[in-house]
Each structure stands twice: as structure tokens, then as C-alpha cells.
């Protein structure tokens, strides 16, 4: 468990501010267990990007970056803004993303 403070958020809750830069916030309606699984996939994909770039393996890097993208979209941090989606669209986004990431393992 981390003892770090959560990042500052914009008043509307749509973005977090880290080192003065705004980043889209994770969808707050995500169940915590699902969000944790998606973050685990994201970190694994980021490690795979690093390994692939170190090995100069462009095919593996492309595949790993696609996994990062899938995880970020499922978390609501990329793609259609979660605050513009219906509850059903939001649920489908993270369920589909998690299913795709689980299938890749």
C-alpha cells in the first residue's frame, strides 16, 4: 500500500494535476477491484514497453504500447471522455477492456 497523497484534482474532477500538468482522471465509477486489475495490466504493459525498447524489438514494443492504450481507455484516461458517456457505455468500456487484457495474458 502506498502512503502517498492522491494527486490534486480539477474542481470538476475530470483531471488530476501532476507537476502542474493536467491528465485525465480515472473514471470514478469504476469498481475498485476492476480499477486495481486494470492498473495491474497497465503497469505490466508499461514494463513490457520498457523491455521491448531496451531490446530494440519494435514488434514487441508496438504490441506493448497497444496494451497500454487498451488499459488507459478501459480506465477512462483515454478515448471518449467518461463524463460524456452513459453509465452503460462506461461499464461496457471497462468490461470490454478488461476482457481483452485478460485474454492477452
Amino acid at each position: 500500500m502506498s502512503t502517498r497523497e492522491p494527486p490534486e484534482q480539477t474542481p470538476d474532477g475530470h483531471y488530476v494535476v501532476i507537476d502542474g500538468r493536467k491528465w485525465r482522471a480515472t473514471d470514478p465509477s469504476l469498481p475498485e477491484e476492476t480499477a486495481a486489475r486494470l492498473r495491474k495490466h497497465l503497469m505490466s504493459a508499461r514494463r513490457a514497453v520498457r523491455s521491448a525498447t531496451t531490446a530494440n524489438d519494435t514488434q514487441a514494443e508496438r504490441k506493448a504500447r497497444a496494451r497500454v492504450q487498451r488499459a488507459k481507455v478501459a480506465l477512462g484516461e483515454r478515448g471518449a471522455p467518461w463524463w460524456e458517456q452513459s453509465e452503460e457505455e462506461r461499464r461496457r468500456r471497462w468490461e470490454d477492456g478488461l476482457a481483452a487484457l485478460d485474454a492477452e495474458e
Side-chain angles (χ1 to χ4, degrees), residues 24 27 30 38 67-80 85 90 93-94 97:
R24 191 178 314 165
D27 184 344
L30 265 164
L38 288 168
R67 286 178 46 218
V68 168
Q69 177 69 9
R70 269 189 292 285
K72 298 286 275 179
V73 168
L75 285 163
E77 297 174 8
R78 291 189 184 156
Q85 295 179 315
R90 292 163 82 175
R93 183 199 67 237
W94 76 63

Side-chain angles (χ1 to χ4, degrees), residues 1-12:
M1 290 261 170
S2 175
T3 58
R4 295 188 328 191
E5 292 292 318
E8 174 189 352
Q9 287 193 329
T10 58
D12 60 11

